[in-house]
């Protein structure tokens, strides 16, 4: 019995000793945590419950040359409610007044809001959503509602702000305006002007401290930020929204008519190189068009007959030909290395001058002029092209410029066919529409080649931070004599050559048509031919103000595919519309010239603007720019979606209107 009691006592002593050691260990650890590692664990705890969140800075605004917004950052606000932090007294006193104000603002009954807020309080909801995506004026209004006006601690209001990038012009010029986006890995995708000039627009981020609450949600500690964000600079672009609107709709109309795959148009100011309009439209599977890719900047392709200007200038500069040099085009067909070169005109043109060969775009004529004079010295011809910078990128700020390519002897692509094929824009030549336009603009500019420019200046409010001046690539790509000769030939293209369908006796234009086969190496081409139709030139001829290129890919060949028929009318419409807005008075002896399409648009606008003062006019079918002008003159605030002509309006025609009333337009 004694032995058993002694064993029990030993066990009790052992357990007591273990518990004592455990207590000593716990005590030591507590002292260690409290005095030696306290700061470390306090920091860990704070990191888990407090966190600095980034507040993106407002991006600067992007304007056109006239001060119209192309892109802007609009603040949006989410309003939430901490139902726990509000005292019982404040909650009960303000619940009904708050519910009534919410009912007035958002439309649901005050009883609904009272019940919802009581439920949130009963469930101890600390992050209850009240409203999402509010504008600034709505945010200011709700911030002053009963209970919310007491602030975040006493009134429970939680305000979360973010910025949304909006394009007031909608889809028009969207690819040129572009965007800058950052993914979760920190990688930026930069497109258009927004991407190219991101460092100016971006600004500096701010910081806001938040506390982690239930269900993994984060609540701001106070209404103030730890670090205030700094807004980005504003950019003034060279784009003119009036010209952009003209170019966009002229291109869209033609793409739809010919059911083309895609197309682009660029309008450049001759002397400065400023891009006044650039539109790129691609076809969707549903047959509609939108700004898919920046074809004008990024798409290199064989230019076809528009390259004949470059070939002619090299030959004229080398003095191996003159404009009066006679070339025999025979019956419009010639064979070289077993391959046929054909003119579009059946039967050919017989013996004609070099100038005439250019005007009628004779492939046979240009091939003979170039091949006969350079077959023994092809490098000289290639060097002449490269002396005019045709193999060089323009070095644009906008990312994604297509790489130009001029083949040369020794290249893998060079063969016996390269030289004759290059004479009329084939033979692996690669140029983008903007690169081609830059060359033609140099001819319009008396030989001075200027770099295309998209931005005029960077501003911080009214202070100019940086100006972007005109940059000259080459003061003279060829002699003044050659410039005058080819300008005359380009003028004759429109007056009596391949572009004669575009001729307008009271308005002078000069240019070159282009009709290039594309994907001709594919087996199905004979059954389904594909073409690239283009027209590039300048206006007015005597004192060129603007140059312009129109390129349309893969029009339905059954409807038409020649450059003069497909792309030329776009050029003409743009030129006439621009002239109507900014006439050059000394260019025309007859100032009362009537352009039917323009006259019809203006008469409709003018009659509506005069007739309606206090009732809503019928705007259906009116161009967007005209409709907005009418409504703003009536004192209305306009909201619109889409682009093109007015399809629907939120206020019915004939309805009485009041000042500052909102009207919504659906364009299409």
């Amino acid at each position: 019995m004694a032995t058993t009691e002694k064993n029990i006592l030993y066990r009790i002593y052992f357990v007591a000793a273990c518990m004592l050691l455990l207590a000593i260990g716990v005590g030591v650890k507590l002292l260690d945590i409290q005095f030696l590692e306290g700061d470390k664990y306090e920091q860990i705890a704070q990191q888990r419950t407090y966190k600095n969140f980034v507040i993106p800075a407002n991006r600067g605004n992007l304007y056109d040359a006239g001060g119209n917004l192309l892109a802007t950052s609009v603040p949006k606000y989410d309003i939430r409610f901490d139902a726990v932090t509000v005292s019982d007294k404040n909650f009960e006193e303000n619940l009904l007044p708050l519910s009534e104000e919410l009912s007035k603002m958002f439309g649901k009954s005050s009883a609904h809001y009272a019940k919802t807020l009581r439920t949130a309080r009963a469930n101890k909801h600390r992050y209850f959503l009240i409203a999402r995506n509010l504008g600034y004026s709505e945010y200011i209004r709700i911030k002053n509602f009963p209970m919310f006006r007491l602030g975040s601690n006493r009134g429970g209001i939680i305000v979360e702000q973010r910025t949304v990038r909006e394009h007031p012009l909608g889809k028009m010029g969207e690819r040129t305006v572009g965007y800058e986006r950052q993914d979760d890995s920190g990688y930026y995708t930069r497109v258009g002007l927004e991407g190219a000039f991101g460092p100016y627009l971006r600004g500096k981020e701010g910081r806001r401290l938040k506390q982690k609450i239930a269900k993994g949600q984060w609540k701001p500690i106070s209404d103030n930020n730890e670090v205030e964000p700094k807004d980005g600079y504003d950019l003034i672009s060279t784009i003119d929204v009036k010209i952009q609107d003209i170019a966009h709709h002229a291109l869209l109309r033609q793409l739809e008519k010919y059911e083309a795959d895609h197309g682009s148009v660029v309008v450049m100011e001759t002397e400065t190189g400023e891009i006044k309009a650039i539109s790129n439209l691609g076809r969707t599977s549903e047959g509609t068009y939108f700004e898919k890719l920046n074809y004008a900047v990024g798409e290199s392709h064989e230019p076809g007959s528009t390259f004949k200007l470059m070939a002619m200038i090299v030959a004229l500069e080398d003095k191996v030909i003159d404009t009066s040099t006679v070339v025999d085009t025979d019956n419009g067909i010639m064979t070289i290395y077993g391959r046929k070169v054909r003119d579009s005109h059946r039967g050919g043109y017989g013996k004609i001058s070099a100038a005439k060969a250019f005007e009628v775009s004779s492939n046979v004529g240009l091939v003979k002029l170039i091949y006969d004079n350079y077959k023994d010295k092809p490098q000289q011809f290639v060097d002449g092209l490269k002396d005019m910078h045709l193999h060089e990128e323009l070095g644009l700020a906008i990312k994604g410029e297509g790489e130009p390519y001029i083949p040369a002897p020794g290249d893998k692509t060079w063969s016996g066919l390269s030289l004759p094929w290059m004479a009329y824009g084939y033979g692996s030549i690669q140029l983008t529409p903007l690169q081609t336009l830059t060359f033609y603009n140099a001819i319009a500019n008396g030989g001075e080649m200027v770099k295309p420019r998209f931005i005029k200046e960077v501003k911080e409010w009214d202070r100019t931070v940086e100006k972007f001046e005109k940059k000259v690539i080459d003061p003279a790509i060829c002699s003044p004599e050659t410039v005058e000769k080819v300008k005359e030939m380009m003028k004759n293209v429109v007056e009596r050559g391949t572009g004669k369908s575009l001729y307008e006796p009271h308005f002078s234009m000069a240019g070159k048509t282009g009709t290039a086969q594309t994907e001709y190496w594919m087996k199905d081409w004979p059954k389904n031919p594909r073409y690239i139709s283009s027209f590039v030139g300048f206006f007015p001829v005597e004192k060129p103000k603007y140059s312009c290129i129109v390129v349309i890919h893969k029009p339905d060949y059954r409807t038409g595919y020649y450059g003069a028929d497909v792309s030329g009318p776009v050029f003409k419409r743009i030129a006439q519309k621009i002239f109507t807005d900014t006439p050059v008075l000394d260019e025309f002896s007859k100032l009362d010239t009537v352009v039917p399409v323009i006259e019809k648009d203006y008469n409709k606008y003018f009659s509506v603007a005069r007739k309606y003062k206090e009732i809503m006019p019928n705007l259906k079918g009116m161009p967007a720019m005209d409709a907005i002008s009418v409504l703003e003159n009536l004192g209305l605030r306009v909201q619109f979606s889409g682009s093109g002509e007015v399809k629907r309006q939120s206020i019915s025609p004939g309805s009485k209107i009041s000042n500052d009333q909102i009207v919504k337009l659906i364009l299409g």
Side-chain angles (χ1 to χ4, degrees), residues 604-605 608 618-624 626-627 630 644-646 667:
K604 185 173 183 180
Y605 166 81
V608 170
N618 185 357
L619 304 170
K620 188 174 182 180
M622 183 177 286
D626 291 346
V630 168
E645 297 177 344
V646 177
L667 311 177

Side-chain angles (χ1 to χ4, degrees), residues 63-194:
Y63 295 94
D64 86 326
N68 299 293
L69 271 174
L70 298 178
T72 185
S73 290
V74 178
K76 295 293 182 181
Y77 300 86
D78 293 346
I79 307 298
R80 296 179 181 272
F81 178 55
D82 182 349
V84 175
T85 191
V86 183
S87 67
D88 290 339
K89 179 183 178 183
N90 286 337
F91 185 82
E92 294 301 333
E93 285 181 357
N94 291 284
L95 178 62
L96 291 180
L98 173 61
S99 300
E100 289 173 1
E101 292 298 330
L102 291 173
S103 175
K104 292 176 185 177
M105 186 168 184
F106 299 112
K108 293 182 180 179
S109 68
S110 59
H112 164 81
Y113 288 107
K115 180 181 178 182
T116 302
L117 293 172
R118 283 195 182 279
T119 302
R121 187 168 177 82
N123 294 332
K124 297 184 178 180
H125 205 313
R126 306 202 63 181
Y127 203 60
F128 181 72
L129 180 65
I130 299 293
R132 194 189 298 276
N133 289 328
L134 298 183
Y136 180 75
S137 60
E138 295 170 312
Y139 153 64
I140 293 299
R141 179 182 172 189
I142 201 171
K143 189 179 179 182
N144 288 291
F145 281 179
M147 187 146 51
F148 289 166
R149 68 168 67 102
L150 299 176
S152 58
N153 292 325
R154 296 172 58 214
I157 186 172
I158 301 171
V159 180
E160 293 188 325
Q161 177 185 343
R162 66 184 186 282
T163 56
V164 177
R165 201 66 171 166
E166 292 190 354
H167 297 169
L169 294 184
K171 296 296 182 181
M172 192 171 66
E174 185 177 37
R175 204 70 191 180
T176 302
V177 172
Y179 57 84
E180 182 181 56
R181 295 173 185 161
Q182 186 180 20
D183 62 18
D184 295 336
S185 302
Y187 177 78
Y188 279 97
T189 301
R190 296 183 172 96
V191 174
L193 297 176
E194 289 263 21

Side-chain angles (χ1 to χ4, degrees), residues 191-470:
V191 174
L193 297 176
E194 289 263 21
F197 296 93
Y200 292 105
L201 292 164
R202 205 176 298 143
K204 293 183 180 179
E205 297 173 337
R207 300 268 173 189
R208 190 174 195 184
L209 187 64
K210 294 186 180 183
Q211 181 182 15
K212 193 173 186 180
I213 57 178
K215 299 181 181 180
Q217 297 173 330
W218 294 85
K219 172 190 171 184
I221 296 298
S222 69
D223 289 337
N224 299 320
N225 299 322
E226 274 33 68
V227 178
E228 290 295 332
K230 182 180 179 182
D231 293 348
Y233 294 129
D234 294 335
L235 292 182
I236 311 300
S237 76
T238 62
I239 300 295
D240 184 318
V241 293
K242 292 180 181 178
I243 299 177
Q244 179 70 37
D245 185 60
I246 292 166
H248 174 90
H249 291 101
L251 176 65
L252 178 61
R253 176 183 297 185
Q254 207 72 347
L255 289 173
E256 291 175 338
K257 177 180 179 181
Y258 286 90
E259 298 180 350
D261 183 76
H262 64 275
S264 59
V265 57
V266 186
V267 179
M268 181 188 292
E269 190 172 74
T270 305
E271 184 179 357
T272 64
E274 292 184 358
I275 301 300
K276 292 300 176 184
I278 177 169
S279 185
N280 302 275
L281 296 172
R283 185 180 173 90
T284 67
S285 57
E286 291 80 24
T288 58
Y289 292 89
F290 76 107
E291 290 264 342
K292 208 170 184 180
L293 295 169
N294 199 334
Y295 304 110
V297 169
E299 186 174 42
S300 300
H301 58 85
E302 289 180 315
S305 292
T306 56
F307 197 78
K308 289 173 181 174
L309 175 68
M310 294 74 156
M312 284 289 290
I313 289 176
V314 172
L316 289 169
E317 285 290 279
D318 286 344
K319 300 189 184 307
V320 297
I321 67 166
D322 198 358
T323 54
S324 59
T325 299
V326 176
V327 59
D328 189 356
T329 64
D330 296 317
N331 61 351
I333 301 175
M334 68 175 289
T335 303
I336 187 166
Y337 290 104
R339 299 286 296 275
K340 293 187 181 297
V341 178
R342 301 176 185 271
D343 282 340
S344 59
H345 180 68
R346 291 184 179 274
Y349 300 96
K351 293 181 179 181
I352 55 176
S353 68
K356 184 70 174 178
F358 182 86
E359 292 165 17
V360 298
S361 200
S362 170
N363 295 334
V364 173
L366 264 293
V367 168
K368 283 190 173 184
L369 288 169
I370 299 304
Y371 187 70
D372 289 350
N373 287 289
Y374 292 99
K375 61 185 175 183
D376 297 326
K377 47 184 178 182
Q379 188 64 52
Q380 182 178 340
F381 177 72
V382 172
D383 288 344
L385 296 173
K386 291 185 175 181
D387 286 344
M388 297 185 293
H389 312 279
L390 288 167
H391 65 303
E392 301 171 3
E393 290 186 7
L394 297 170
L396 304 172
I398 290 180
K399 307 298 181 185
E401 180 182 0
E403 185 177 356
Y405 177 63
I406 302 295
D411 291 355
K412 291 181 180 180
T413 59
W414 190 267
S415 70
L417 287 170
S418 294
L419 179 63
W421 256 234
M422 289 173 70
Y424 65 115
Y426 290 93
S428 299
I429 294 171
Q430 296 287 305
L431 290 174
T432 67
L434 188 52
Q435 289 160 358
T436 299
L437 177 61
T438 300
F439 185 89
Y440 272 75
N441 188 76
I443 299 303
N445 203 28
E448 182 183 67
M449 180 180 283
V450 293
K451 182 177 178 178
R453 186 155 53 98
F454 292 88
I455 295 294
K456 295 169 78 76
E457 61 180 320
V458 180
K459 301 193 78 172
E460 183 179 33
W461 298 103
D462 294 330
R463 181 178 71 90
T464 297
V465 176
E466 184 177 349
K467 276 197 172 185
F468 293 84
E469 304 292 347
K470 168 183 173 180

